[in-house]
Amino acid sequence: MTVQQSTLVITVNARNAQRDIERLDRSLLDLGTQGDRTSRSMGSSMSSLATYMAGVLTVATAISKVDAYTSMQNRLKLVTATQKELNQATNDTFAIAQRTAQAWDGVVQVYQRFADNAKVLGINLKQVASLTDTVSKSIAISGASAASAEAALVQFGQALASGVLRGEEFNSISEQASGLLKAIATGLGVNIGELRAMANQGKLTADVVIKSLDKAKGSVDN
């Protein structure tokens, strides 16, 4: 199989910014077309990128968004084994971010952390997406600002990476996304005070948190 590689070159010129933007739009369209020719399996990811790039106002912003997209793809590549799985993870996380009005990169980080634990817990990527959706919805229910919600997603992702939810991460989530802690407490059948005690005792391990969120999904969805 011959793999085509497309290179997007962007030249920033302050006096001709509008012209550069138009060129960028054409380059992105060309890039998507070439991706389709190369492999149908890349279609979904290119579609997500095109959606993510919508509304770009400046070349600098476009570059930033491309970098962010590349970073998210690299995160997802760490927890997917095939191009098909990568496309599915990309589409799932984007859809979750859209449904819950959360930052896409924050959603990707939580998805990655769940996927890191998937093999140990015996869950598949479909269940990983479901858990990520529950977390994102719980944070949305909290009514947090965009910045606070993104911070909560990052803190939760870090907690999963460390293997236990406690200390700074627990306190940050409590302040910025209480709905997430409520969901975990509901899944465990305890109140927030008891949940905090469990956190202080190091009992909110990744597997405990994941199982609690799975049980709480029904209440969060409703």
Side-chain angles (χ1 to χ4, degrees):
M1 174 179 175
T2 301
V3 178
Q4 294 181 334
Q5 182 175 2
S6 302
T7 302
L8 175 63
V9 179
I10 303 173
T11 302
V12 179
N13 186 318
R15 292 177 301 175
N16 298 297
Q18 185 59 44
R19 185 180 64 188
D20 289 335
I21 294 170
E22 292 172 356
R23 287 177 178 172
L24 172 63
D25 289 338
R26 288 195 296 271
S27 295
L28 288 173
L29 288 174
D30 291 342
L31 185 61
T33 300
Q34 291 178 30
D36 287 338
R37 290 197 192 110
T38 303
S39 171
R40 281 193 172 189
S41 68
M42 290 298 293
S44 296
S45 291
M46 290 306 302
S47 176
S48 294
L49 174 58
T51 303
Y52 189 52
M53 293 295 292
V56 170
L57 300 179
T58 67
V59 173
T61 301
I63 295 172
S64 175
K65 286 186 177 292
V66 169
D67 286 344
Y69 183 83
T70 300
S71 176
M72 289 187 288
Q73 285 284 281
N74 289 337
R75 279 183 174 276
L76 294 176
K77 284 178 182 177
L78 293 174
V79 294
T80 53
T82 65
Q83 184 64 51
K84 182 178 179 180
E85 287 186 354
L86 175 60
N87 290 345
Q88 188 61 55
T90 300
N91 292 333
D92 284 345
T93 54
F94 181 76
I96 291 169
Q98 291 292 97
R99 283 197 303 270
T100 61
Q102 303 302 318
W104 191 7
D105 54 348
V107 171
V108 166
Q109 182 172 149
V110 171
Y111 182 99
Q112 179 198 1
R113 300 310 186 189
F114 277 135
D116 282 338
N117 290 281
K119 185 175 293 186
V120 174
L121 297 171
I123 59 177
N124 56 38
L125 290 183
K126 182 178 180 180
Q127 291 168 298
V128 166
S130 177
L131 285 165
T132 304
D133 182 66
T134 298
V135 170
S136 298
K137 284 180 179 176
S138 297
I139 291 177
I141 292 171
S142 302
S145 66
S148 294
E150 184 171 4
L153 280 170
V154 171
Q155 291 287 342
F156 186 70
Q158 291 175 349
L160 290 175
S162 69
V164 62
L165 174 59
R166 61 182 173 188
E168 181 180 343
E169 286 86 6
F170 184 94
N171 292 334
S172 178
I173 294 171
S174 177
E175 294 172 2
Q176 301 177 101
S178 58
L180 177 53
L181 293 187
K182 183 178 179 181
I184 296 172
T186 297
L188 291 174
V190 300
N191 59 41
I192 295 298
E194 292 170 324
L195 187 70
R196 183 177 293 278
M198 291 179 68
N200 292 336
Q201 296 165 13
K203 292 182 178 180
L204 295 182
T205 56
D207 60 327
V208 169
V209 170
I210 288 173
K211 290 175 182 176
S212 70
L213 287 171
D214 189 44
K215 290 181 180 179
K217 181 173 178 57
S219 63
V220 173
D221 288 343
N222 294 331

